[in-house]
Amino acid sequence: MSTVTDDKRKAPAGERVADWADGRLGIYSLAKANMRKIFPDHWSFMLGEIALYSFIIIILTGVYLTLFFHPSMNEVVYHGSYVPMQGIRMTEAYASTLEISFDVRGGLLIRQIHHWAALIFLAAMFVHMMRVFFTGAFRKPREINWLFGFLLFVLGMFTGFTGYSLPDDLLSGTGVRFTQGAILATPVVGTYISFFLFGGEFPGHDMVARFYSIHILLLPGIMLGLVVAHLILVFYHKHTQFAGPGRTNKNVVGMPLLPVYMAKAGGFFFLVFGVIAAIAGLFTINPVWALGPYRPDQVSTGAQPDWYMGFAEGLIRVMPGWEINLWGHTLALGVFIPLTLFGLVLVALAVYPFIESWVTGDKREHHILDRPRNAPTRTALGVAWITGYVIMLLGGGNDIFATHFHLSINSITWFVRISYFVGPVLAFVITRRICLGLQRRDKDKVLHGRESGIIKRLPHGEFVEVHEQLSRQELHTLTAHEQYAPAEIGPSVDENGVERKVTRGQKLRAKLSKGYYGEGNQIPKPTADEYKEITSGHGHH
Amino acid sequence: MSSQEIPEKNLPSEQDTAHGAVAVAEDPFADPGLPPHKPRVQDIDERAAKRSERTVALLFTLSMLSTIGFIASFVAFPVEKIVYVWPLGHVSALNLSLGVTLGLALFCIGAGAVHWARTLMSDVEVADDRHPIEADPVVKAKVMSDFAAGAEESAIGRRKLIRTTMFGALAMVPLSGVVLLRDLGPLPEEKLRHTLWGKGKQLINMNTNEPLRPEDVAVGSLTFAKPEGLEEDNHEFNNEIAKAALMIVRLQPQDIKDKRELDWSHQGIVAFSKICTHVGCPISLYEQQTHHVLCPCHQSTFDLSDGARVIFGPAGHALPQLRIGVNDEGFLEALGDFEEPVGPSFWERG
Ligand code: HEM
Ligand code: FES
């Protein structure tokens, strides 16, 4: 064995460090598999990155905030530098938020970055999820990663909620009260949950301290784990890609992690951070000093939660105040139904991949993304879901709309109530039609070529537009998508004439499958024969 | 569900031409393979490449300058300095300059890196093979037999007694954790049913902190009151006011439609809980012609001339009324506690 001194050439320092690490961590094998890993490129793949980077920004700024924030509900009389609040009783939590905003240099900026990044984090996750949904990227083998992403979104909502409750200002306290009222509406256990969560009656003396540990430790800890798992799975499954020449279900085409993807993704982190920092410098978010500390007997008008809680707000606002009193118990349906719907709307997202894979019965891996038009029913369902979500989001701002547009709050409420049921149905029907129209157009393009804009006069005087044949690449791209045949229940007797048992599940599935893939619900893609007949028969005109 | 249930023929056939495969002449839709790489200007023109290099370097330099600007702003601007900047309005000079310089410093690094990647790094697309996620049958068989061997060696299948007691122990031990959560809070008991109000408690004006006389309650205005003895510096102030907050209005006795409401009023002065029965926001808006009060949170509207019943919005029941009278000194006083729980509904409310 040779020792270092025997070596003719001394390895450069970097290599020696890497050698040292490899001897302990096996980094070379890791790098061999990943350093030149291929990543396909598409603008929509950046949405997840925005979410990831804003999460990192939130953690960085959050740690800074913990250095100054006092998570305590002890009451103090304020004597700090923000004059309008001097002499007012408030909790230490609120007082320290004022201090971060008015005494710590740069503290306000970090608070604003933290809050803006939280809003952007949730928005990015939401849009990223939509991207995954509409392109079918959730299909096998990525269902678990869909669930991880879903959990991140839901946990993000609650982390955000506990976060903006911490300053204990009038607005956030009102939000907490709202949550407590909703908890109370839970049958049987609601009152107990409320007392256990708040350490007694509302608001109690423990809320901020408890929300603090949930906000900075419990939820972010779980989320960090989920983010890591999410990314490991992305690496392990390799990224999906859109169909195109040379791109198949068995390969992944793009540019290597080192250097291109690393530079782009790394650069993109700085772009996101830069934009958020500038926004935080320019636009005030959550000016907690404007409204004063929380008091359960005071409120400001036009109170709004952060956007991601808006649809829950809408649900609770437009629900009629049904209440049942029976056998000495009260069932506050007017609050409990919105609470349940809030959960169901989210759960519908979580389980969708499993429903679709049950309907298709497809157990193969899918790495080629669908164009949304090529999965009309899925796309229409997605748009219907978003429509319902957005309608409730708007419902959450009914008072704002009423005052800004001079409408009656009563008519807005009724409008929201009705459109919550009608809107998604309409959206479903319209979206599916649009998808089918686009499919037809693709088919025409494949068979007849693209309109070139050149008008030609035929010998007998007729004018026709010259259609340009598509290239082989385009032909392939437009015909690469898979189309399912609807599942049949099959004959009710088997080949021996014995009656087959058809379960209710099978019937439902056949029905759904027809709804997804039956006649009229997708346009059969052009076949090679159709193409040849048209191109050879009519020539190119 | 097993894949057997859906016949294979329903599943679309996969396009599995390998990348780079020469298209089969018969199939016009076959995969023609990766198109050839198209060089960028920078790939063929060294001058263009140099220009890109300078752009990237310029961006990185701008970033350095911005960081210097950040540090300079931190030192230069006092934290309390407010400046007027169009169109933002009056803003903190420090916050604005720190945000903009930090934003620029970060953004320029990002823009530089992305520009570098797009113009100077190779943009040749490469294909990598995918491998099925599922293990092949040999691997699976090995894992199964390893597992069977491990299970066999542990004898967990044969020694039922061990197995059962182990599951029992594992199932029970988390109970300790659950039990430990018991002291998170006291039990609700009757706490939500009682407030600080009680017979003989005077109504204290929230604004002046003085006991209210009937003459202090003007027609058309909403007066807020708290029970005598509850002071802001009281440790339990927030918990108590969350239940006891009261609103008082004066109506014409003949306008009061509800019989009980009239009985519980004093010369047309009625006192209702200020806490909305929906999810507990304090009610703050009063419309004097209609005697309606509105909760600003979700717009529940209550008619104070008719037992404070809900006339609009998501609240489920009327606001509880407090029975009031006048004591010997001529001050308004409560004649008891609320007869029903105030605030949002809960299961035990009944
Ligand atoms: C992952 C998701 C997170 C989200 C969505 C989030 C969101 C928020 C929001 C919206 C606020 C209110 C800020 C305001 O306007 O005052 C807040 C406050 C706060 N957050 Fe976070 N946060 C997250 C993670 C963290 C982490 C990891 C930490 C610390 C390690 C942290 C520490 C804090 C502190 C100390 C406050 C209170 C300071 C203040 O409000 O001035 N947060 N958070
Ligand atoms: S809390 Fe009053 S309407 Fe919701």
Side-chain angles (χ1 to χ4, degrees):
Chain A
M1 284 239 105
S2 64
T3 61
V4 175
T5 41
D6 295 337
D7 269 349
K8 299 253 157 8
R9 169 191 77 94
K10 211 164 169 216
E15 187 180 325
R16 273 181 290 136
V17 173
D19 283 346
W20 188 90
D22 184 52
R24 279 132 194 109
L25 304 170
I27 56 167
Y28 287 152
S29 317
L30 208 66
K32 176 170 169 267
N34 292 311
M35 209 177 225
R36 296 282 278 177
K37 198 173 186 76
I38 299 301
F39 279 88
D41 210 5
H42 188 265
W43 65 266
S44 67
F45 301 167
M46 293 192 317
L47 297 165
E49 281 182 60
I50 301 182
L52 173 66
Y53 302 148
S54 30
F55 182 60
I56 296 172
I57 296 166
I58 291 176
I59 294 183
L60 292 175
T61 50
V63 171
Y64 176 90
L65 289 175
T66 61
L67 305 178
F68 300 98
F69 181 72
H70 301 284
S72 150
M73 291 180 93
N74 286 342
E75 296 220 339
V76 292
V77 176
Y78 182 71
H79 294 297
S81 53
Y82 185 62
V83 179
M85 285 294 153
Q86 281 171 2
I88 291 186
R89 296 191 76 81
M90 55 182 66
T91 56
E92 274 185 56
Y94 185 75
S96 68
T97 309
L98 290 183
E99 187 185 305
I100 293 174
S101 307
F102 295 109
D103 300 286
V104 178
R105 281 184 285 173
L108 179 58
L109 181 69
I110 301 298
R111 248 196 79 223
Q112 308 265 291
I113 295 180
H114 193 71
H115 203 137
W116 272 115
L119 297 177
I120 291 172
F121 174 51
L122 277 135
M125 279 199 286
F126 187 85
V127 185
H128 169 59
M129 231 154 120
M130 294 303 125
R131 191 290 282 176
V132 170
F133 181 88
F134 287 115
T135 57
F138 54 75
R139 290 171 296 168
K140 189 181 169 188
R142 296 181 179 78
E143 302 97 322
I144 296 181
N145 226 12
W146 168 265
L147 288 182
F148 285 175
F150 167 81
L151 280 177
L152 279 165
F153 180 68
V154 176
L155 294 179
M157 285 170 50
F158 287 102
T159 316
F161 169 73
T162 50
Y164 71 67
S165 302
L166 291 180
D168 204 24
D169 57 301
L170 192 54
L171 177 62
S172 73
T174 305
V176 179
R177 174 84 226 220
F178 167 167
T179 311
Q180 191 256 352
I183 292 173
L184 281 182
T186 313
V188 189
V189 292
T191 321
Y192 289 83
I193 296 179
S194 171
F195 272 71
F196 281 21
L197 184 62
F198 291 89
E201 289 187 76
F202 178 85
H205 305 283
D206 299 325
M207 187 272 285
V208 168
R210 288 185 182 174
F211 276 29
Y212 186 67
S213 86
I214 295 174
H215 178 74
I216 71 155
L217 186 66
L218 182 65
L219 294 181
I222 300 173
M223 288 174 76
L224 193 62
L226 283 171
V227 166
V228 171
H230 197 76
L231 293 179
I232 289 178
L233 277 181
V234 170
F235 260 70
Y236 183 59
H237 290 144
K238 297 183 174 150
H239 208 289
T240 49
Q241 60 192 353
F242 280 101
R247 290 151 208 265
T248 72
N249 205 30
K250 296 208 161 68
N251 72 7
V252 48
V253 177
M255 286 178 232
L257 179 66
L258 189 78
V260 180
Y261 194 72
M262 200 98 119
K264 278 192 184 170
F268 198 51
F269 167 73
F270 287 97
L271 287 180
V272 171
F273 203 165
V275 168
I276 293 180
I279 292 178
L282 293 169
F283 307 106
T284 308
I285 180 93
N286 199 16
V288 292
W289 53 86
L291 295 175
Y294 179 61
R295 280 261 308 250
D297 61 330
Q298 289 174 3
V299 69
S300 65
T301 49
Q304 285 289 323
D306 273 359
W307 78 266
Y308 42 89
M309 285 294 175
F311 85 105
E313 178 87 11
L315 285 168
I316 212 136
R317 282 188 183 198
V318 303
M319 178 73 198
W322 298 340
E323 205 163 280
I324 299 178
N325 281 296
L326 267 185
W327 302 299
H329 288 293
T330 300
L331 188 55
L333 288 175
V335 182
F336 185 61
I337 290 180
L339 197 67
T340 315
L341 270 177
F342 169 81
L344 287 180
V345 164
L346 292 173
V347 166
L349 268 188
V351 299
Y352 182 79
F354 302 96
I355 297 178
E356 190 181 300
S357 85
W358 178 67
V359 172
T360 58
D362 192 347
K363 301 287 183 282
R364 301 165 309 167
E365 289 182 12
H366 292 276
H367 305 292
I368 294 281
L369 296 172
D370 285 324
R371 296 167 84 205
R373 68 186 62 175
N374 288 332
T377 305
R378 177 205 297 149
T379 303
L381 284 173
V383 174
W385 186 92
I386 294 179
T387 307
Y389 184 91
V390 170
I391 286 172
M392 276 308 157
L393 204 61
L394 298 179
N398 59 359
D399 53 333
I400 312 255
F401 288 100
T403 44
H404 275 251
F405 302 105
H406 306 288
L407 299 167
S408 115
I409 196 115
N410 194 4
S411 34
I412 298 183
T413 302
W414 272 104
F415 175 78
V416 172
R417 282 179 185 166
I418 295 170
S419 41
Y420 188 59
F421 292 96
V422 178
V425 177
L426 275 182
F428 180 88
V429 174
I430 295 172
T431 308
R432 194 146 79 163
R433 286 196 153 209
I434 295 177
C435 287
L436 293 177
L438 289 172
Q439 280 195 19
R440 255 182 231 114
R441 205 166 77 184
D442 283 349
K443 185 172 184 171
D444 273 0
K445 231 161 67 187
V446 167
L447 293 179
H448 304 291
R450 171 189 317 110
E451 291 164 7
S452 62
I454 301 168
I455 309 289
K456 195 169 79 174
R457 191 168 180 226
L458 296 182
H460 53 275
E462 187 194 347
F463 287 95
V464 293
E465 185 172 8
V466 178
H467 280 231
E468 209 179 301
Q469 282 297 310
L470 298 190
S471 67
R472 291 200 79 93
Q473 274 93 358
E474 288 167 307
L475 284 180
H476 172 70
T477 308
L478 290 181
T479 54
H481 57 285
E482 304 184 334
Q483 289 191 316
Y484 292 93
E488 314 274 346
I489 301 183
S492 53
V493 288
D494 66 12
E495 52 267 36
N496 305 325
V498 181
E499 200 166 326
R500 271 173 69 238
K501 228 181 93 111
V502 182
T503 62
R504 232 190 283 159
Q506 279 168 316
K507 278 193 203 140
L508 175 68
R509 184 194 210 176
K511 239 196 208 138
L512 284 174
S513 177
K514 208 152 148 204
Y516 269 80
Y517 310 111
E519 212 176 319
N521 297 337
Q522 59 181 358
I523 306 296
K525 60 181 186 179
T527 62
D529 291 335
E530 276 177 294
Y531 178 81
K532 278 187 215 148
E533 195 182 311
I534 288 176
T535 42
S536 63
H538 304 284
H540 303 238
H541 71 94
Chain B
M1 299 284 154
S2 77
S3 54
Q4 269 68 40
E5 281 184 45
I6 297 247
E8 270 307 315
K9 71 172 169 42
N10 285 325
L11 298 180
S13 63
E14 241 172 72
Q15 298 259 3
D16 63 355
T17 25
H19 73 91
V22 189
V24 195
E26 294 84 72
D27 183 0
F29 302 152
D31 183 359
L34 273 183
H37 172 244
K38 286 202 205 74
R40 298 161 297 191
V41 211
Q42 288 86 352
D43 295 333
I44 36 187
D45 181 358
E46 181 51 30
R47 283 216 312 280
K50 265 268 174 287
R51 268 203 304 280
S52 293
E53 183 181 350
R54 279 198 299 273
T55 310
V56 175
L58 179 72
L59 284 165
F60 288 160
T61 313
L62 260 177
S63 167
M64 290 191 263
L65 293 176
S66 300
T67 301
I68 294 171
F70 181 91
I71 297 170
S73 314
F74 190 91
V75 178
F77 291 114
V79 64
E80 67 280 352
K81 189 176 172 64
I82 302 290
V83 290
Y84 182 81
V85 182
W86 189 86
L88 304 172
H90 290 277
V91 293
S92 149
L94 183 64
N95 186 57
L96 179 68
S97 53
L98 291 183
V100 171
T101 48
L102 179 63
L104 262 180
L106 293 161
F107 191 90
C108 289
I109 296 181
V114 172
H115 194 67
W116 178 10
R118 292 172 69 109
T119 57
L120 295 172
M121 294 181 186
S122 159
D123 71 337
V124 180
E125 286 195 311
V126 208
D128 239 3
D129 288 334
R130 288 184 193 274
H131 308 287
I133 307 290
E134 249 163 37
D136 65 45
V138 182
V139 173
K140 183 180 165 186
K142 167 86 173 105
V143 171
M144 287 308 187
S145 73
D146 282 358
F147 180 76
E152 176 55 34
E153 283 163 28
S154 75
I156 192 164
R158 269 181 298 124
R159 308 221 180 267
K160 295 255 163 46
L161 196 58
I162 291 185
R163 195 179 64 183
T164 321
T165 49
M166 179 184 76
F167 285 151
L170 288 177
M172 279 186 67
V173 80
L175 285 179
S176 316
V178 176
V179 169
L180 281 176
L181 295 180
R182 167 60 189 87
D183 280 350
L184 275 177
L187 295 182
E189 291 162 345
E190 298 288 283
K191 294 189 186 71
L192 293 181
R193 295 190 176 276
H194 302 300
T195 74
L196 271 191
W197 291 107
K199 186 154 174 48
K201 283 254 168 111
Q202 296 186 17
L203 278 58
I204 308 293
N205 187 329
M206 210 66 185
N207 290 330
T208 61
N209 220 16
E210 298 292 333
L212 278 160
R213 294 173 178 280
E215 341 32 307
D216 300 338
V217 184
V219 175
S221 69
L222 197 57
T223 310
F224 299 128
K226 62 180 181 179
E228 158 189 8
L230 179 61
E231 296 302 331
E232 269 190 33
D233 52 11
N234 189 316
H235 187 57
E236 296 298 324
F237 177 79
N238 273 344
N239 286 358
E240 292 303 340
I241 200 72
K243 291 186 298 184
L246 198 67
M247 61 183 171
I248 305 163
V249 292
R250 183 190 280 276
L251 310 171
Q252 301 299 338
Q254 65 271 22
D255 285 349
I256 300 179
K257 299 175 200 128
D258 186 80
K259 165 91 174 57
R260 194 184 74 167
E261 181 179 350
L262 188 62
D263 291 347
W264 287 14
S265 68
H266 175 79
Q267 298 171 350
I269 299 177
V270 287
F272 285 98
S273 164
K274 191 189 178 190
I275 306 300
C276 183
T277 57
H278 179 222
V279 286
C281 277
I283 289 164
S284 60
L285 303 169
Y286 178 52
E287 210 182 47
Q288 55 164 308
Q289 285 92 6
T290 54
H291 312 303
H292 292 171
V293 283
L294 177 86
C295 173
C297 284
H298 318 109
Q299 291 79 44
S300 286
T301 311
F302 305 86
D303 184 352
L304 290 197
S305 66
D306 191 9
R309 74 187 166 86
V310 187
I311 52 168
F312 177 75
H317 59 267
L319 295 168
Q321 186 179 2
L322 188 73
R323 203 166 160 182
I324 53 169
V326 171
N327 63 14
D328 301 340
E329 289 129 78
F331 292 112
L332 287 172
E333 63 168 9
L335 299 181
D337 197 354
F338 288 101
E339 296 218 329
E340 50 177 323
V342 299
S345 291
F346 50 96
W347 179 248
E348 297 83 356
R349 185 174 179 276

